Amino acid sequence: MSGRRIRTLIWKEFTQLRRDPLLLRLLMIMPIVQLILFGYVVAADVRNLATAVVDLDRTATSRELVDAFRGSGYFTIVENPTSETALQPLLDTGVVKVGVVIPEGTQDRLLSGQVADIGIVVDGSDSQVSSVASGYATQIVARENLDRPARLGVSTVGPGIDARVRVVFNPTLDPINSMIPGLIAAILLISLSAIMSQAVVKERESGTLEQLFVTPIRPPEYIIGKVTPYAVLAIAQMTIIAAVGMLWFRVPFYGDVWVVGLGLGLFLLVCIGQGLLVSLMARTRAQAIQTTLFLMLPMIVLSGFIFPIASMPAVIQPLTYLIPLRYALDVLRASFIKGSGLADLALPLLALAGFAVVIFGSAVLATRRRITE
Amino acid sequence: MARRHPAESRGRHGRAESPVPDAAVCVRGLVKTFGDFTAVGGIDVDVPRGQVFGFLGPNGSGKTTTIRMLTGSVAPTAGHAWVLGEEVTAHPERVRSRIGYMSQKFSLFEDLTVAENLRFYASIHGLEREVFEQRRAWILRMAGLEGREDELTRNLSVGWRQRLALGTATIHSPELLFLDEPTSGVDPVARRRFWDLLYELAEQGITLFVTTHYMDEATHCNRLAFINAGTLIALGTPTELRDSFGPGATLEDVFVGLEEQSRREP
């Protein structure tokens, strides 16, 4: 191993990067765009759902119920059709996502001690919206059931059950608090495996790779020289996300910086190794891009970055153990939100270390073997 | 035949001294197979130092594979190759610091400037500053690139790229230079100029191992080897080869004739 040769390779790689200002700009803009996307769009709470109310009862009770919906902040009443049949086209065309139907005689039934049914119609084409909307609607009705007798001065029969859910670790239930720590790992995976996949195959196409290996450069020197500049860039990207996330989105950090650093360092090796492997196996740059895309989607979906693993089918769940991003997310989210330490995170960290050894190790071996043939 | 791995032979000591220790290249029974395909089927060649050695053969005959085994890029399936007295598979790094290699792709970093390409290879070979300055000045003059040091290599036209590639391949003053079809895709004027440069290198005592399928270039060589389908079918000086084929034969006749002959009796 020669320090001079490694430094020369790093210098060469940085000089080539500098000649590609578009790539550099993309690399620095990408985390910002992703932050905006995931910070404001994906993580946005479901609010101000367009709602139509069909009030056929037109009584004090029905108006109170409508006010409760309006006052919740989750529903914006944009239409007041006069019949249930007029509601259907509004849902069909997507003008409203939710319909509330209060049948005639609701107040009378309630006053005479009967159960009154009201209809909540939810557009199920967006499962996220529909599940959240029906949840909120159920809550509002339940609350109304508790409040109404009190307002009328009638005591309810028995104390009833009043569940008060207390959310630990993320009290505001702000999805951004788990989204941004996850984003740090996701960006690392996306950008590193994408750029690294091009790294070697580009040099093979141009013939310079063959040329380099007729000089005293050894394969480990080549890998270090190749990987270092991109690792530096990736660390810059992660720093941008973490800084913007904590300063702008006010994501709290309760964890240990060293534990997060260890987890990210191991995950960095996994991502670089994966990119290198793709680059070594691919014959052309186009092949490398296709392979990366092919790998990326299942990795992100199965990692639990966007969709919780617990809600995946039981058959699929074991597969998620094969996805390194899953463990990186565990480490980051637990560190940021729960302040978990080294001991709590030993398992995911060990898993990451295992992946790093296997994937990066096989990339190094593959470089030795495949570099010229 | 058992497959030898380079790591295995590196572990053995005192094995297989070169039968011709002072030869630039000495090859005995060299074989390379890729699966069922035999790229090189057991060749023996000696190249004395200081020669311009022409390695001729049709496309796909095993020329490039042979060069790759000699530069240590590809491990041979069987046989031995000594370059400058060192067994290549045993000490590839010892060999590589003493040889130069130029491929038909010219393999420059196109997004680096002329000066940066030179600096890169000089630094990789560990050249001292004064030596580098000297070599750099010589290469720029030789390639006709003085005053164009800061141009990106991708903007150079093919003749200049070819000469710059020759410069980067010889920046460390190698004793032996492998050239794999160095003149493909280059116009006749640039080709002539390139061969003038090769002669200049040969006069400095550098051994040249050149593959080509231009017959006029073959006549420039001291000795020639014809390879077809991985087998050596003729070896000698241009004159010997012409004479062996009858009066008035050109090298082109020899080349075509030998190729047809070896096809008829494989």
Side-chain angles (χ1 to χ4, degrees):
Chain A
M1 291 278 254
S2 145
R4 178 176 178 174
R5 285 199 292 268
I6 292 174
R7 278 198 304 280
T8 306
L9 284 162
I10 293 175
W11 164 79
K12 182 216 83 179
E13 209 67 39
F14 266 123
T15 313
Q16 287 179 306
L17 272 173
R18 231 182 41 214
R19 294 278 148 73
D20 196 347
L22 182 68
L23 179 67
L24 271 188
R25 253 175 260 158
L26 273 178
L27 287 181
M28 289 304 124
I29 291 171
M30 186 162 84
I32 310 273
V33 172
Q34 306 263 24
L35 271 169
I36 293 170
L37 273 178
F38 286 101
Y40 285 114
V41 185
V42 177
D45 209 353
V46 178
R47 283 184 164 270
N48 301 322
L49 285 167
T51 306
V53 173
V54 188
D55 184 0
L56 300 172
D57 195 38
R58 292 195 198 86
T59 58
T61 305
S62 68
R63 274 188 295 275
E64 265 169 32
L65 190 59
V66 174
D67 283 342
F69 269 90
R70 187 181 288 128
S72 69
Y74 300 118
F75 302 94
T76 303
I77 297 162
V78 290
E79 294 282 343
N80 286 288
T82 48
S83 70
E84 241 187 294
T85 43
L87 176 63
Q88 194 60 44
L90 293 173
L91 284 163
D92 287 346
T93 53
V95 173
V96 298
K97 295 283 179 203
V98 184
V100 180
V101 183
I102 308 172
E104 204 175 344
T106 299
Q107 179 170 283
D108 290 346
R109 292 172 77 89
L110 284 172
L111 288 176
S112 61
Q114 287 174 277
V115 174
D117 294 323
I118 67 160
I120 311 270
V121 189
V122 176
D123 177 353
S125 58
D126 183 331
S127 61
Q128 168 93 6
V129 167
S130 59
S131 69
V132 171
S134 56
Y136 287 147
T138 316
Q139 270 179 34
I140 290 170
V141 171
R143 173 64 49 89
E144 193 57 23
N145 274 337
L146 284 174
D147 290 356
R148 203 183 50 87
R151 267 203 305 275
L152 295 173
V154 184
S155 67
T156 41
V157 190
I161 297 169
D162 182 13
R164 280 166 191 257
V165 178
R166 190 173 65 93
V167 178
V168 286
F169 303 133
N170 187 6
T172 53
L173 255 191
D174 205 337
I176 203 152
N177 288 350
S178 72
M179 195 51 98
I180 288 200
L183 192 57
I184 299 176
I187 289 257
L188 189 67
L189 174 73
I190 294 169
S191 71
L192 257 187
S193 35
I195 317 169
M196 284 310 303
S197 73
Q198 300 295 296
V200 179
V201 77
K202 185 178 133 196
E203 279 192 351
R204 199 211 308 267
E205 271 185 352
S206 70
T208 45
L209 186 68
E210 196 190 346
Q211 190 77 40
L212 288 180
F213 283 95
V214 187
T215 68
I217 295 173
R218 311 269 187 98
E221 296 169 353
Y222 177 75
I223 292 179
I224 297 171
K226 196 90 219 173
V227 155
T228 309
Y230 296 106
V232 169
L233 282 179
I235 290 169
Q237 284 185 311
M238 289 191 286
T239 314
I240 293 177
I241 303 168
V244 175
M246 287 161 72
L247 298 174
W248 179 257
F249 290 100
R250 307 237 162 251
V251 174
F253 180 82
Y254 299 110
D256 183 340
V257 180
W258 296 107
V259 173
V260 172
L262 175 65
L264 281 176
L266 291 170
F267 190 57
L268 187 90
L269 287 180
V270 173
C271 296
I272 287 178
Q274 186 199 316
L276 266 180
L277 273 179
V278 170
S279 204
L280 289 164
M281 301 303 163
R283 290 274 136 204
T284 63
R285 276 189 257 187
Q287 256 183 25
I289 292 180
Q290 292 302 322
T291 314
T292 306
L293 287 178
F294 175 78
L295 291 171
M296 201 68 79
L297 197 63
M299 284 186 134
I300 294 208
V301 169
L302 292 178
S303 68
F305 175 51
I306 298 173
F307 313 107
I309 292 173
S311 67
M312 292 176 193
V315 198
I316 299 287
Q317 285 191 24
L319 283 179
T320 65
Y321 291 105
L322 299 172
I323 309 290
L325 180 57
R326 179 204 160 120
Y327 303 99
L329 291 174
D330 279 354
V331 172
L332 283 163
R333 285 179 173 159
S335 289
F336 267 79
I337 300 172
K338 295 198 273 188
S340 303
L342 192 60
D344 309 309
L345 294 171
L347 228 53
L349 284 171
L350 275 174
L352 279 175
F355 277 110
V357 168
V358 171
I359 295 183
F360 193 75
S362 36
V364 174
L365 287 180
T367 311
R368 280 184 179 283
R369 227 158 38 81
R370 299 211 40 148
I371 217 120
T372 45
E373 287 178 32
Chain B
M1 219 172 282
R3 183 190 163 91
R4 278 192 309 109
H5 195 268
E8 181 192 326
S9 48
R10 220 173 287 149
R12 287 186 209 162
H13 291 289
R15 191 180 54 97
E17 284 289 305
S18 171
V20 192
D22 56 346
V25 175
C26 175
V27 167
R28 290 292 177 270
L30 202 60
V31 175
K32 180 68 190 180
T33 55
F34 299 101
D36 291 338
F37 173 68
T38 304
V40 177
I43 57 173
D44 302 321
V45 172
D46 290 319
V47 180
R49 290 198 188 220
Q51 275 203 349
V52 180
F53 185 82
F55 200 51
L56 281 73
N59 291 328
S61 56
K63 300 191 297 282
T64 300
T65 306
T66 306
I67 285 202
R68 285 184 163 182
M69 285 191 277
L70 294 176
T71 57
S73 306
V74 171
T77 312
H80 298 269
W82 293 268
V83 168
L84 301 168
E86 299 279 3
E87 172 139 40
V88 184
T89 47
H91 303 289
E93 68 286 354
R94 278 194 216 164
V95 170
R96 282 180 196 147
S97 56
R98 295 166 64 195
I99 61 169
Y101 168 67
M102 179 180 162
S103 79
Q104 51 187 323
K105 288 183 178 168
F106 306 157
S107 313
L108 297 158
F109 297 102
E110 301 211 327
D111 41 7
L112 295 186
T113 65
V114 171
E116 285 164 349
N117 267 290
L118 293 175
R119 188 179 147 194
F120 174 78
Y121 282 106
S123 182
I124 286 302
H125 285 289
L127 259 54
E128 300 295 330
R129 175 180 278 277
E130 306 84 69
V131 181
F132 171 50
E133 291 302 329
Q134 222 178 319
R135 294 297 297 160
R136 190 183 119 113
W138 183 82
I139 290 165
L140 289 173
R141 198 169 54 245
M142 170 275 276
L145 282 167
E146 285 161 310
R148 300 178 69 181
E149 294 89 338
D150 294 329
E151 267 183 54
L152 284 184
T153 312
R154 79 162 75 93
N155 298 335
L156 300 177
S157 55
V158 71
W160 275 280
R161 282 226 300 273
Q162 180 201 35
R163 291 190 290 272
L164 179 60
L166 179 66
T168 56
T170 53
I171 197 159
H172 55 300
S173 310
E175 297 160 55
L176 167 63
L177 181 60
F178 290 100
L179 299 122
D180 191 7
E181 294 185 15
T183 52
S184 60
V186 178
D187 65 72
V189 180
R191 245 171 62 189
R192 170 61 62 85
R193 201 172 154 192
F194 188 75
W195 270 94
D196 289 343
L197 292 173
L198 291 188
Y199 276 132
E200 211 176 302
L201 292 173
E203 272 163 34
Q204 294 168 19
I206 299 178
T207 311
L208 301 177
F209 191 106
V210 191
T211 73
T212 181
H213 40 225
Y214 291 113
M215 286 309 124
D216 58 324
E217 292 185 353
T219 53
H220 295 310
C221 300
N222 301 122
R223 272 179 93 228
L224 295 173
F226 279 96
I227 183 172
N228 191 42
T231 319
L232 217 57
I233 52 177
L235 190 70
T237 65
T239 324
E240 281 168 10
L241 287 171
R242 269 194 301 251
D243 292 351
S244 73
F245 227 72
T250 63
L251 271 180
E252 186 130 4
D253 298 334
V254 179
F255 186 65
V256 174
L258 284 173
E259 204 264 341
E260 278 171 357
Q261 198 178 315
S262 76
R263 233 185 316 159
R264 260 181 274 122
E265 35 190 277

